[in-house]
Amino acid sequence: MSKEPAVTPELVAAHGLKPDEYDRILALIGRTPTFTELGIFSAMWNEHCSYKSSRIHLRKLPTKAPWVIQGPGENAGVIDIGDGQACVFKMESHNHPSFIEPYQGAATGVGGILRDVFTMGARPIACLNLLRFGSPAHPKTRRLVGGVVAGIGGYGNSFGVPTVGGSTGFHKAYDGNILVNAMAVGLARADEIFYAKATGVGNPIVYLGSKTGRDGIHGATMASASFEADAEEKRPTVQVGDPFSEKLLLEACLELMRTGAVIAIQDMGAAGLTSSAVEMGAKGDLGIELDLDAVPCRETGMSAYEMMLSESQERMLMVLTPEKEPEAEAIFRKWGLDFAIVGKTTDTLRFVVKHRGEIKADLPIKELGDQAPLYDRPHAATPKRAPLADFAPPLANAAALVKLLGAPDLCSKRWVWEQYDHLILGNTVIAPGGDAALVRVEEGPKGLALTTDVNARYCQADPREGGRQAVAEAWRNITCVGARPLAVTDNLNFGNPERPEYMGQFVGCLEGIGEACRALDFPIVSGNVSLYNETQGAGILPTPAIGGVGVIDDVAKGVGVGFRAAGEAIVLIGETKGWLGQSAYLASICGREEGAPPPVDLAVEKRNGDFVRALVLAGRATAAHDLSDGGLAVAIAEMALAGRIGANIDVLPSGKAHAVLFGEDQARYLVTCAARDAQALLADAAAAGVPALRIGTTGGAALALAGEAPLALDVLSKAHEAPLPAYMAGDMPESFKGA
């Protein structure tokens, strides 16, 4: 009998299990677990896999709508987009691995989320991401940015799926714990979705894809703990990806699915073979028996413990129809991939693992998931902040605009997205750099609008309001291109849930997210929770990333943010009060993060957004852009730079100029239209109860804000485009200093 370490209190603690959780295990199985069993419990009961601190709150989120085919609980969410087609999508985090080893951490994050989508039977058509890095002045930030961006591009470009959108930001709160959230979107037939629920007793369990190695062992457990001073020592827990193998796996899986051989399928992601096998059996009320002698390994002498916890990439587990087994094997051999029968389904409701003639684990399968600890952790509400008091602007408005356009959060991210192939497959209609990407569905004319959004400053200052705003902004961005927002995937990135103040941020943000999703008819169909994002006791900003998906019937009707022609009217939709609390202006120009964030009126959001969408679809708006970070002035400048056409702004809403120009009041848009149509547009807005004001006209080679000296587009373009490439080349742009 092979020798395994004795299970001691120290070993239990090293596996991330608390004494009371270990006592629960002893009561559940009635004996001391084997070393392999301890590893299995560690994998299944960690935060990343069990959602033990979040499940109780996630249940409150809205997840249903007539167009929702599959909500949370599967590999990805599925929505009906008409014509017998379904959109399959999800977002997940790879935060901890990307901090430790940025290239592979980010690359395997992309690989994992792509597998979640094609596991459901969908062909991936687009990727997005949401990235948050520490202060530009931090000694690790530049290397992390370079590694993460290279990893995302390296995997996505090689796999052959366009990366069409995302969000990149910087804040000192992420110095020791960056965020790398990856989103993938795929297409399938609505009546050909594949699920993870195993059925039938005695059916073969088949291992597919790449071989198992020792990379990624304890990856999920590592993702469920905060970083201490030894973060760099966790490098062996980071997986290594191979996008070319994953492309073969995609094609083999989709070909196999067409044969009718697949009963159930599960990606081997977090916790690898353990999680995939347990989930398939438990969902189908079946037992699972595995023989690890049959598992294809790329390293010699691997133990049962190592095989069960490895997170080697590009692997799948399937339950197959027995008579189709030879056909299935032939398909995978043709694609040069491993195909091995590693077990069978049983009627015992036990999870049995055998290796070298020994039983290494014999556990109740349902309880491994269903009996995982569930915590209603103490949570303290974030104290409300008073609205920001009036203050004198420290810079002239024109100078402030130039500086804002070059600030780390608002500067052009072209350096990032030009490393991604956003045109491969030939269906990208609106590329990165705008409000939402627009991707043609197959031959069209239908398209999908895709975006990722969150303002973490808002969420820290007022979690509920910040959660509402994150959803509202995603909804606005989809609306701007003319699409109808349909559903959300989220990635909830927070600090240590055992600290009441951080748990309070989580609960507050979810409350706001739920309210906004209900009011905007924008259900959540998939997502991920990433907790323990802190380093040596310092947590990140609460960052509930929202990935939004919408549909447009004809991509030819979609519009971008860029001005289209000279002589067009510029119309501001929505009410401007000049709200500067927690604004980009306050943070980047004044060096302050103070006050309450702007309030979100969800009824007004829906009314104003529906009006703007109708304008776009009717062909009455030639460009549209929502107002968010940086307010009115930044939005005008972004539209001018995107279209390479200047503007003369001769009318502004009433109020103090700096507040009007840079305030971040919600539910606002800028639209352009033919000058002759402006009066009718304003009349229709008034009839719909939508505030609208014609503020200027497009044209020229400069941006002239009312009461300010004109700013040449060349000056604005340099201020906007130059900082990030300069920073990555080793310089520190003036606009990055102090960020």
Side-chain angles (χ1 to χ4, degrees), residues 475-486:
W475 193 86
R476 287 198 302 267
N477 284 338
I478 291 168
T479 291
C480 279
V481 301
R484 184 173 74 258
L486 287 181

Side-chain angles (χ1 to χ4, degrees), residues 206-390:
V206 183
Y207 173 114
L208 307 163
S210 297
K211 289 179 168 58
T212 294
R214 290 187 171 94
D215 56 317
I217 294 174
H218 284 304
T221 305
M222 179 268 292
S224 304
S226 57
F227 278 155
E228 302 306 329
D230 62 349
E232 293 295 331
E233 295 172 17
K234 297 179 185 283
R235 192 176 302 272
T237 62
V238 179
Q239 309 93 328
V240 177
D242 179 353
F244 302 105
S245 292
E246 178 131 327
K247 173 65 172 172
L248 298 176
L249 184 62
L250 161 72
E251 299 300 343
C253 284
L254 293 183
E255 183 176 341
L256 180 58
M257 287 167 171
R258 290 193 292 270
T259 69
V262 179
I263 295 173
I265 179 169
Q266 180 72 32
D267 161 43
M268 281 196 236
L273 188 54
T274 290
S275 177
S276 55
V278 169
E279 287 178 15
M280 284 205 307
K283 284 179 179 176
D285 292 322
L286 293 171
I288 298 285
E289 186 176 298
L290 296 180
D291 180 1
L292 300 187
D293 293 348
V295 171
C297 293
R298 66 169 183 260
E299 299 184 48
T300 58
M302 288 189 70
S303 67
Y305 177 95
E306 290 171 325
M307 279 189 264
M308 293 306 296
L309 297 187
S310 167
E311 292 183 13
S312 294
Q313 297 290 286
E314 293 86 39
R315 301 180 302 157
M316 293 281 194
L317 207 62
M318 287 188 186
V319 177
L320 292 182
T321 304
E323 56 269 25
K324 295 271 191 178
E325 190 185 300
E327 185 178 1
E329 181 170 4
I331 289 171
F332 269 76
R333 298 296 183 205
K334 180 186 80 173
W335 287 100
L337 295 167
D338 277 299
F339 178 101
I341 297 170
V342 296
K344 63 183 179 181
T345 57
T346 70
D347 60 2
T348 64
L349 287 177
R350 304 291 294 181
F351 183 48
V352 179
V353 178
K354 298 177 179 177
H355 189 222
R356 297 174 186 162
E358 299 175 15
I359 293 178
K360 295 294 186 178
D362 186 351
L363 299 168
I365 197 165
K366 295 285 284 185
E367 287 79 354
L368 268 173
D370 296 348
Q371 294 299 314
L374 178 62
Y375 297 126
D376 186 359
R377 295 196 185 275
H379 51 273
T382 301
K384 288 283 187 183
R385 302 196 187 197
L388 190 70
D390 285 344

